[in-house]
Amino acid sequence: MMDAVTRSLEPLAQDELTNINAYWRAANYLSVGQIYLLDNPLLKQPLTKDHVKPRLLGHWGTTPGQNFIYVHCNRVIKERDLNMIYISGPGHGGPALVANTWMEGSYTELYPNVPMNEVGMQKLFKQFSFPGGVGSHVTAETPGSIHEGGELGYALSHAFGAAFDNPDLMVCCVIGDGEAETGPLATAWHSNKFLNPATDGAVLPILHLNGYKIANPTVLARMSHDELDSLFVGYGYKPYFVEGSDPEEMHQKMAATMDAIADEIKAIQDDARNNGNMTRPMWPMIILRSPKGWTGPKEVDGKKTEDYWRSHQVPFSNVVNNTQHLELLESWMKSYRPEELFEDNGDLKPELKALAPEGARRMGANPHANGGKLLRDLSLPDYRDFAVAVERPGHTMAESTRVMGNFLAEVMRRNLDTANFRVMGPDETASNRLGALFDVTERTWMAETLPEDDHLAPNGRVMEILSEHTCQGWLEGYLLTGRHGFFSCYEAFIHIVDSMFNQHAKWLKVSKEIPWRRPIASLNYLLTSHVWRQDHNGFSHQDPGFIDHVVNKKADTIRVFLAPDANTLLHVTDKCLNSRDFINVIVAGKQPQPQWLSMDAAIKHCSAGIGIWDWASNDQDGEPDVVMACAGDVPTLETLAAVDLLRQHLPDLKVRVVNVVDLMTLQPKEEHPNGLSDREFDILFTPDKPVIFAYHGYPYLIHRLTYRRTNHKNLHVRGYKEEGTTTTPFDMAVLNDIDRFDLVADVIDRVPGLGSRAAYLKQFVRDKLIEHTEYIHKYGEDMPEIRDWKWPYNS
Amino acid sequence: MMDAVTRSLEPLAQDELTNINAYWRAANYLSVGQIYLLDNPLLKQPLTKDHVKPRLLGHWGTTPGQNFIYVHCNRVIKERDLNMIYISGPGHGGPALVANTWMEGSYTELYPNVPMNEVGMQKLFKQFSFPGGVGSHVTAETPGSIHEGGELGYALSHAFGAAFDNPDLMVCCVIGDGEAETGPLATAWHSNKFLNPATDGAVLPILHLNGYKIANPTVLARMSHDELDSLFVGYGYKPYFVEGSDPEEMHQKMAATMDAIADEIKAIQDDARNNGNMTRPMWPMIILRSPKGWTGPKEVDGKKTEDYWRSHQVPFSNVVNNTQHLELLESWMKSYRPEELFEDNGDLKPELKALAPEGARRMGANPHANGGKLLRDLSLPDYRDFAVAVERPGHTMAESTRVMGNFLAEVMRRNLDTANFRVMGPDETASNRLGALFDVTERTWMAETLPEDDHLAPNGRVMEILSEHTCQGWLEGYLLTGRHGFFSCYEAFIHIVDSMFNQHAKWLKVSKEIPWRRPIASLNYLLTSHVWRQDHNGFSHQDPGFIDHVVNKKADTIRVFLAPDANTLLHVTDKCLNSRDFINVIVAGKQPQPQWLSMDAAIKHCSAGIGIWDWASNDQDGEPDVVMACAGDVPTLETLAAVDLLRQHLPDLKVRVVNVVDLMTLQPKEEHPNGLSDREFDILFTPDKPVIFAYHGYPYLIHRLTYRRTNHKNLHVRGYKEEGTTTTPFDMAVLNDIDRFDLVADVIDRVPGLGSRAAYLKQFVRDKLIEHTEYIHKYGEDMPEIRDWKWPYNS
């Protein structure tokens, strides 16, 4: 491959060089125009302040570099008929992507109101960062994008996610040197240990050493050449440096490098695909060092601007009131010589148009960047075939997630041929009892192996890396390019990706409003090893707050399911795998637990999302005295055990048990599509009886969801209140007052007129709590009567 | 330095080697005992199942490696009188730290109920991961710890945070190879570009290649030696490899390496301190490759266990029912030959005791790991000296955070000598208008510089890296070792550290329950560039949900302040800098905005945390018809503008304005120490009048805080409802119905009997909203009447 570089240090003939540079100038011109101009797009009239936007918003600094990369991608796409998409890590350089997709025609195809002429160019300019127009970033509105780039850190994991199982795809991933300082990006480089050269596509990372962040040099730009080289060799790449500022020299260097790299990637893939060489290759990457705000004003008001942080956003703002700035803007824009680039009518000159790829090869029109277009339904088995036989509620024991794992394994098996389903998780697939997957596939692994290794293979479809960020980024990239997946995670540590969840939810919200964006598969989380069973790891592993975080996002984008047992979990999982454009959060335990519902009962229950468990209630002949509501597996268990105590000790008390699977049913119908009407809610919860609600997470959330309901004033919620340590499972419930004994006491405190038997029962449960604490401190495990408790009724 | 290594490849004399190995065996013995035994600690009786815990919880895999490191740290501490603390990245190896601190005596000093004898050893064993005992991780209960290690990723940033401004301190930081896969850890290596060899201490990273995670090899353990070396050279370190499994060889290698490194660190520091050499040094680090579960059972039930993932937690569990396992446990523990290690009474043999450092040099007794002991109050100027003169509400304009920046700059100046105050932020200090800091200090910078650089210096005290994780980790490490700090961040992106916030809040909660832990300075966040002024960056930059996340944590640990203007911000900032053991979240804007309160009024208002703004209300002579509540700067502005419209158009309407600075005042007194009593709440909000509440964040939070209040049913909250794009500032409010016009409409809809003038006003505000939208779509900026609006009343 070294030969290729040596051979063609100046691969561009003069006319090609001239045209490529002109194409780049045009993109730069269009970028500056978007940031500054309201009108007079071709500068046919002398520029006046009326032509300039009153508020100047945008990021110039990264833009010329991205324009430079884009035209060189175009060149290799066209010469080699490559199937390439472009991920803009510094997505705040939105003008670059808008300009380039307009120049190649893909923009106008999707937005015919922005034609390729002077009128269209004026609209293109005005709409940018303008009310009612388009955002300043590479938003979902931007053709060819799967990555907004506003929150930095995820470009590279998105790129790898897009490349998995897309053997013909090449993903150009531009990484800003600011972004390169983030943690998620810093570890995403290791994704090369998970990329299979035979069956996956290629990622071409381009680290753009632009030199500066908002007001500061970047760390990577201020390491020595040797350190940089060493760092990326250490990460397992072969870095190619393209450095400089002279446009003609840089075009030659970049073209030569892109040629060498395209050859090299092809050679790597051929070697794997034809010769079966499955050793991990040193994938090429580019380190592009170019001036921030390249080709922009060298100085503004006597201060260094090009190649400095002052170019980060708008290099100078006060154009309306400062004639010098107005002149500077005009001379800057004219420095690109627009008359050589555009026809009089505003269309791009034909010799430049000819540089862009055609049809779906244009990066703005590549269907992989509108993944819903390529999405194929999963082949799903009948989830009912995996049901746990439940003859009698609460007597069969099962690990819910293990049952789910059997189902997921069959899903995996049925979709091996189409290669469009992956399961992600930070090293917890087996721990989370999804090990059945390893009967069907292996863990993806391209790093070194040892003879004793089990379930590692280059073509494995379970992806484990101890980085929730990378798992989430890979999965997002995979889904956004039209495939399916599942992310299982310890509940507490899913907070690590709170902000990534935010960005994906925002992307989905905007995408749904864009007619040409096709629905994609939902992002499905299984949160397990949850708060109530982190008795062994202790306090740091106990946090059920991701649900609270999720429900702040748009109601039609998010759903939360709390599966009380295995059969409900099966139903919910099937539902989530079938859904589109949602983020589904499933919470379910992995420990052995009583099974409550037969498959038929589970289907009925889950279809409503919430319901009275008649078999557990004794209010069939009238109104209940108290409603015992529960959501989550441990709260359900404790609620039923409390109901048992109540029925034994207070047989006249009428208890209704309501179980919630779909948490969003609690919200008013106007707030969430799954919400109950007020009438439905009142029927379940009564208008006026005490409701004791045992909830999986932080109790406030239930109040937040139900504060408008008729009976809210009688709602008493128990949940996790940040109490916990390394202790026994039942003690976790006790520490947070959500155990059976405390729930019984809650009922007695809230149902009036229960009399002396209730007073006796209250003393009984108080004594039990003391007995419990003494027992566990002595023996270190829960009392047998707790561990062995079974629902004692037939139905 | 190479000489040092060559010179002393086997630096340990035989008796020293024997003793060090015995010390290590003792620590391993005590670790296994903690995981398995209830009783019979010295194995004086034959082991029976009654001696074994019924539930086995703990992590063996990392433990022997950490015991190995600890004894070698002890050796160099003692030989060189080093001031060293130990950070256990794999903090789940709690048994190692508990064992070692017990052996060195620091454990018993803090927990006299666990003496250094057989009784104490039995307690030490039983309490581990046992109800009522100690956690399985390196929790706040563990002497010498500032790092729990449950959530992986933050060990190295904590270590650097501890080392800043502690020139005599050496921080040994053990990083598991699982943790090394996380993003936050992967970027924390770059902290060496911020460590000043003259005025900071040293960090000694020890990457522990233990080989496996829960059920999977680690990525870093399966890179080639050359790649690993290259990676860390690229990160700017000088890696020393210590690899093997034979204990005697490994002790010699480790001792030689520790000697070489201690020399090297001293040479680096001397060169900087004596010769003024401020070029960034290549700091040494260790790559320690040792078997997972080293010295544990090689096989269990015929399956490879030592040096494999099966050693991760408890290598075999079924001891009570499986005689073979019981025998295996006994022979394993006896393989350490406890009779050679402990006296008959359980005390450590004197020749081993002699290996531990003494007094505060013991890592379990180093005061830096109980930072409150070293904490000195900040020298604070009078914040009132920085007040903005406000003669008349709403007529002075100021950027609140710029005013705060002047105060912070003076705080910085006054504490330069004690070097115990730093400001962190991801490249946003200037952007967030805190630039006055640069009149006093610079940005910390040890990487390359260029002539045009400004405000970069090795001894700068403003720390900027584009990694919220690193900023947070540095600050936590800095605070936990007894210093002060401040973290300013874009509001939306603080979610990046949601999970780090969780862990710090949990640490504080537990610390407060431990008598020997001294209070530390609070962790103070300034969240600015907030949701309402992310009109320019758009939707991805809009998220006020961190507050929701924060309020799930223990009430006595967290506080949230929403400053409506500069003088309130000054008061709140002063309060936060004076506080201890809290996490304080301050939200305030950086854009020019009307100033409402004089300093005196601000002090009065902030002291209560909530109050009626009489000057804005017209209900002085009786009950109001409506309460207009507001929290946050933009909601306050829109509320007052709405009040102005109401007073102009409906002069008979009695309006009360309530402003909330301390969000927690809304909660019942029983729920949060700052909460209002119900009576106080009723006085402010009335028991029965409509309340229109304009809130900075997601509106549900206000319901969640107030659902128990008398007048909750009449509370109507406006806030951010996940609508936004690149638009004008006022349009952000309009998109979310929190603008003045929508607030007026809300009042009209909710106050009964307003008559025809109100109907006219409602039509008027509807028309205004249409006019607004048309105007911004045409001109791209807000209408002058919006931009120029001023509170028209004198008081």
Short mmCIF file of all heavy atoms in Angstrom, two decimals, chain B residues 61-69 90 173-178 180 205-212 218 221 285-294:
data_model
loop_
_atom_site.label_atom_id
_atom_site.label_comp_id
_atom_site.label_asym_id
_atom_site.label_seq_id
_atom_site.Cartn_x
_atom_site.Cartn_y
_atom_site.Cartn_z
N GLY B 61 -11.74 -11.77 42.07
CA GLY B 61 -10.85 -11.67 40.91
C GLY B 61 -9.77 -10.60 41.00
O GLY B 61 -8.59 -10.86 40.78
N THR B 62 -10.15 -9.39 41.34
CA THR B 62 -9.21 -8.27 41.37
C THR B 62 -8.39 -8.21 42.66
O THR B 62 -7.37 -7.52 42.73
CB THR B 62 -9.99 -6.94 41.23
OG1 THR B 62 -9.09 -5.85 41.34
CG2 THR B 62 -11.05 -6.79 42.33
N THR B 63 -8.88 -8.93 43.68
CA THR B 63 -8.39 -8.71 45.04
C THR B 63 -6.90 -9.04 45.24
O THR B 63 -6.16 -8.21 45.78
CB THR B 63 -9.30 -9.46 46.03
OG1 THR B 63 -10.64 -8.92 45.89
CG2 THR B 63 -8.85 -9.31 47.46
N PRO B 64 -6.43 -10.23 44.83
CA PRO B 64 -5.01 -10.50 45.07
C PRO B 64 -4.08 -9.53 44.35
O PRO B 64 -3.04 -9.15 44.89
CB PRO B 64 -4.83 -11.93 44.54
CG PRO B 64 -6.04 -12.24 43.71
CD PRO B 64 -7.14 -11.37 44.23
N GLY B 65 -4.48 -9.07 43.17
CA GLY B 65 -3.67 -8.08 42.46
C GLY B 65 -3.59 -6.79 43.25
O GLY B 65 -2.53 -6.16 43.35
N GLN B 66 -4.69 -6.39 43.83
CA GLN B 66 -4.68 -5.15 44.61
C GLN B 66 -3.90 -5.33 45.91
O GLN B 66 -3.22 -4.40 46.37
CB GLN B 66 -6.11 -4.67 44.87
CG GLN B 66 -6.81 -4.27 43.57
CD GLN B 66 -7.95 -3.29 43.80
OE1 GLN B 66 -7.74 -2.20 44.33
NE2 GLN B 66 -9.15 -3.68 43.42
N ASN B 67 -4.00 -6.51 46.49
CA ASN B 67 -3.16 -6.76 47.67
C ASN B 67 -1.69 -6.67 47.33
O ASN B 67 -0.87 -6.16 48.10
CB ASN B 67 -3.48 -8.16 48.24
CG ASN B 67 -4.81 -8.18 48.97
OD1 ASN B 67 -5.27 -7.17 49.49
ND2 ASN B 67 -5.45 -9.35 49.00
N PHE B 68 -1.36 -7.18 46.15
CA PHE B 68 0.02 -7.14 45.66
C PHE B 68 0.49 -5.68 45.52
O PHE B 68 1.57 -5.30 45.97
CB PHE B 68 0.07 -7.89 44.33
CG PHE B 68 1.40 -7.95 43.67
CD1 PHE B 68 2.34 -8.90 44.04
CD2 PHE B 68 1.73 -7.08 42.63
CE1 PHE B 68 3.58 -8.97 43.40
CE2 PHE B 68 2.96 -7.14 41.99
CZ PHE B 68 3.88 -8.09 42.38
N ILE B 69 -0.34 -4.87 44.90
CA ILE B 69 0.03 -3.47 44.70
C ILE B 69 0.18 -2.76 46.04
O ILE B 69 1.11 -1.98 46.26
CB ILE B 69 -1.04 -2.76 43.82
CG1 ILE B 69 -1.03 -3.35 42.40
CG2 ILE B 69 -0.82 -1.25 43.79
CD1 ILE B 69 -2.24 -2.97 41.56
N PRO B 90 -11.06 -0.71 40.54
CA PRO B 90 -11.93 -1.86 40.75
C PRO B 90 -12.30 -1.94 42.23
O PRO B 90 -11.83 -2.82 42.97
CB PRO B 90 -11.09 -3.06 40.30
CG PRO B 90 -9.76 -2.51 39.88
CD PRO B 90 -9.65 -1.11 40.40
N CYS B 173 -3.07 4.95 41.54
CA CYS B 173 -4.42 4.76 40.98
C CYS B 173 -4.48 3.44 40.22
O CYS B 173 -3.88 3.31 39.15
CB CYS B 173 -4.75 5.93 40.05
SG CYS B 173 -6.37 5.77 39.33
N VAL B 174 -5.18 2.49 40.81
CA VAL B 174 -5.31 1.18 40.16
C VAL B 174 -6.51 1.22 39.22
O VAL B 174 -7.62 1.58 39.62
CB VAL B 174 -5.52 0.08 41.21
CG1 VAL B 174 -5.58 -1.28 40.53
CG2 VAL B 174 -4.41 0.13 42.25
N ILE B 175 -6.26 0.90 37.97
CA ILE B 175 -7.30 0.93 36.94
C ILE B 175 -7.49 -0.47 36.42
O ILE B 175 -6.57 -1.08 35.86
CB ILE B 175 -6.87 1.87 35.80
CG1 ILE B 175 -6.69 3.30 36.33
CG2 ILE B 175 -7.88 1.83 34.66
CD1 ILE B 175 -5.71 4.10 35.54
N GLY B 176 -8.67 -1.00 36.61
CA GLY B 176 -8.95 -2.33 36.07
C GLY B 176 -9.03 -2.28 34.56
O GLY B 176 -9.32 -1.24 33.97
N ASP B 177 -8.75 -3.44 33.93
CA ASP B 177 -8.83 -3.40 32.47
C ASP B 177 -10.27 -3.35 31.99
O ASP B 177 -10.53 -2.96 30.86
CB ASP B 177 -8.03 -4.54 31.82
CG ASP B 177 -8.22 -5.89 32.48
OD1 ASP B 177 -8.99 -6.00 33.45
OD2 ASP B 177 -7.58 -6.85 32.03
N GLY B 178 -11.22 -3.74 32.85
CA GLY B 178 -12.62 -3.49 32.51
C GLY B 178 -12.87 -1.99 32.51
O GLY B 178 -13.33 -1.42 31.52
N ALA B 180 -10.89 0.31 32.10
CA ALA B 180 -10.15 0.99 31.04
C ALA B 180 -10.93 1.04 29.73
O ALA B 180 -10.61 1.83 28.84
CB ALA B 180 -8.80 0.30 30.81
N PRO B 205 -0.47 5.82 37.65
CA PRO B 205 -1.51 4.91 37.18
C PRO B 205 -0.95 3.50 37.07
O PRO B 205 0.15 3.29 36.56
CB PRO B 205 -1.87 5.45 35.79
CG PRO B 205 -1.16 6.76 35.64
CD PRO B 205 0.02 6.70 36.57
N ILE B 206 -1.70 2.57 37.62
CA ILE B 206 -1.34 1.16 37.45
C ILE B 206 -2.49 0.48 36.71
O ILE B 206 -3.57 0.26 37.28
CB ILE B 206 -1.10 0.48 38.81
CG1 ILE B 206 0.02 1.21 39.57
CG2 ILE B 206 -0.75 -0.99 38.61
CD1 ILE B 206 0.40 0.58 40.90
N LEU B 207 -2.28 0.24 35.44
CA LEU B 207 -3.29 -0.46 34.65
C LEU B 207 -3.17 -1.94 34.97
O LEU B 207 -2.15 -2.57 34.68
CB LEU B 207 -3.07 -0.21 33.15
CG LEU B 207 -4.01 -0.97 32.22
CD1 LEU B 207 -5.45 -0.49 32.37
CD2 LEU B 207 -3.55 -0.83 30.76
N HIS B 208 -4.20 -2.47 35.58
CA HIS B 208 -4.14 -3.86 36.03
C HIS B 208 -4.79 -4.75 34.97
O HIS B 208 -6.02 -4.83 34.89
CB HIS B 208 -4.85 -3.99 37.38
CG HIS B 208 -4.68 -5.33 38.00
ND1 HIS B 208 -5.48 -5.81 39.00
CD2 HIS B 208 -3.78 -6.33 37.75
CE1 HIS B 208 -5.09 -7.03 39.34
NE2 HIS B 208 -4.08 -7.35 38.60
N LEU B 209 -3.95 -5.39 34.18
CA LEU B 209 -4.47 -6.31 33.15
C LEU B 209 -4.76 -7.65 33.82
O LEU B 209 -3.95 -8.57 33.82
CB LEU B 209 -3.46 -6.47 32.01
CG LEU B 209 -3.21 -5.21 31.18
CD1 LEU B 209 -2.25 -5.52 30.04
CD2 LEU B 209 -4.51 -4.63 30.62
N ASN B 210 -5.94 -7.71 34.32
CA ASN B 210 -6.44 -8.86 35.05
C ASN B 210 -7.02 -9.87 34.07
O ASN B 210 -7.31 -11.00 34.42
CB ASN B 210 -7.54 -8.33 36.00
CG ASN B 210 -7.61 -9.05 37.30
OD1 ASN B 210 -6.69 -9.72 37.70
ND2 ASN B 210 -8.74 -8.90 37.97
N GLY B 211 -7.24 -9.40 32.85
CA GLY B 211 -7.61 -10.30 31.76
C GLY B 211 -9.07 -10.40 31.43
O GLY B 211 -9.43 -10.58 30.27
N TYR B 212 -9.92 -10.30 32.45
CA TYR B 212 -11.34 -10.60 32.20
C TYR B 212 -12.25 -9.66 32.94
O TYR B 212 -11.92 -9.16 34.01
CB TYR B 212 -11.66 -12.04 32.63
CG TYR B 212 -10.90 -13.07 31.84
CD1 TYR B 212 -9.63 -13.48 32.25
CD2 TYR B 212 -11.41 -13.57 30.66
CE1 TYR B 212 -8.91 -14.39 31.51
CE2 TYR B 212 -10.70 -14.49 29.91
CZ TYR B 212 -9.44 -14.90 30.34
OH TYR B 212 -8.74 -15.80 29.59
N THR B 218 -10.99 -8.81 28.48
CA THR B 218 -11.01 -7.36 28.30
C THR B 218 -10.29 -7.00 27.02
O THR B 218 -9.40 -7.73 26.55
CB THR B 218 -10.31 -6.64 29.48
OG1 THR B 218 -8.95 -7.08 29.54
CG2 THR B 218 -11.01 -6.96 30.79
N ALA B 221 -6.48 -6.27 27.50
CA ALA B 221 -5.65 -7.46 27.74
C ALA B 221 -5.43 -8.25 26.45
O ALA B 221 -4.57 -9.13 26.41
CB ALA B 221 -6.31 -8.36 28.79
N MET B 285 4.12 5.04 34.24
CA MET B 285 2.93 4.28 34.63
C MET B 285 3.31 2.80 34.61
O MET B 285 4.33 2.41 34.04
CB MET B 285 1.78 4.50 33.66
CG MET B 285 2.05 3.94 32.28
SD MET B 285 0.60 3.92 31.19
CE MET B 285 -0.39 2.62 31.93
N ILE B 286 2.47 2.00 35.24
CA ILE B 286 2.73 0.56 35.27
C ILE B 286 1.62 -0.18 34.56
O ILE B 286 0.44 0.14 34.74
CB ILE B 286 2.84 0.06 36.73
CG1 ILE B 286 4.04 0.71 37.43
CG2 ILE B 286 2.95 -1.46 36.78
CD1 ILE B 286 4.17 0.35 38.91
N ILE B 287 2.00 -1.13 33.76
CA ILE B 287 1.03 -2.08 33.21
C ILE B 287 1.31 -3.41 33.89
O ILE B 287 2.34 -4.05 33.64
CB ILE B 287 1.14 -2.18 31.67
CG1 ILE B 287 0.82 -0.80 31.06
CG2 ILE B 287 0.20 -3.25 31.14
CD1 ILE B 287 0.93 -0.72 29.56
N LEU B 288 0.44 -3.75 34.80
CA LEU B 288 0.62 -4.95 35.64
C LEU B 288 -0.27 -6.06 35.08
O LEU B 288 -1.50 -5.96 35.13
CB LEU B 288 0.22 -4.64 37.08
CG LEU B 288 0.12 -5.83 38.04
CD1 LEU B 288 1.48 -6.51 38.25
CD2 LEU B 288 -0.45 -5.40 39.39
N ARG B 289 0.36 -7.08 34.53
CA ARG B 289 -0.42 -8.20 34.00
C ARG B 289 -0.26 -9.38 34.95
O ARG B 289 0.82 -9.97 35.05
CB ARG B 289 0.06 -8.58 32.60
CG ARG B 289 -0.90 -9.51 31.85
CD ARG B 289 -0.30 -10.02 30.54
NE ARG B 289 -0.08 -8.99 29.54
CZ ARG B 289 -0.96 -8.66 28.59
NH1 ARG B 289 -2.12 -9.28 28.52
NH2 ARG B 289 -0.65 -7.72 27.71
N SER B 290 -1.33 -9.69 35.66
CA SER B 290 -1.28 -10.80 36.61
C SER B 290 -2.58 -11.59 36.48
O SER B 290 -3.58 -11.07 35.98
CB SER B 290 -1.10 -10.27 38.04
OG SER B 290 -2.24 -9.56 38.45
N PRO B 291 -2.58 -12.84 36.91
CA PRO B 291 -3.77 -13.67 36.68
C PRO B 291 -4.96 -13.18 37.50
O PRO B 291 -4.81 -12.81 38.66
CB PRO B 291 -3.34 -15.06 37.17
CG PRO B 291 -1.85 -15.02 37.26
CD PRO B 291 -1.48 -13.60 37.55
N LYS B 292 -6.12 -13.20 36.89
CA LYS B 292 -7.35 -12.91 37.63
C LYS B 292 -7.52 -13.98 38.69
O LYS B 292 -7.37 -15.17 38.43
CB LYS B 292 -8.54 -12.89 36.68
CG LYS B 292 -9.84 -12.44 37.34
CD LYS B 292 -10.82 -11.85 36.33
CE LYS B 292 -12.02 -11.24 37.05
NZ LYS B 292 -12.63 -10.16 36.30
N GLY B 293 -7.83 -13.57 39.90
CA GLY B 293 -7.99 -14.55 40.97
C GLY B 293 -6.69 -15.26 41.32
O GLY B 293 -6.69 -16.39 41.80
N TRP B 294 -5.61 -14.56 41.14
CA TRP B 294 -4.25 -15.04 41.41
C TRP B 294 -4.17 -15.70 42.78
O TRP B 294 -4.59 -15.11 43.77
CB TRP B 294 -3.34 -13.81 41.35
CG TRP B 294 -1.87 -14.02 41.22
CD1 TRP B 294 -1.18 -15.17 40.99
CD2 TRP B 294 -0.88 -12.97 41.29
NE1 TRP B 294 0.15 -14.92 40.91
CE2 TRP B 294 0.38 -13.57 41.09
CE3 TRP B 294 -0.94 -11.59 41.48
CZ2 TRP B 294 1.57 -12.83 41.10
CZ3 TRP B 294 0.25 -10.86 41.49
CH2 TRP B 294 1.49 -11.48 41.30
#
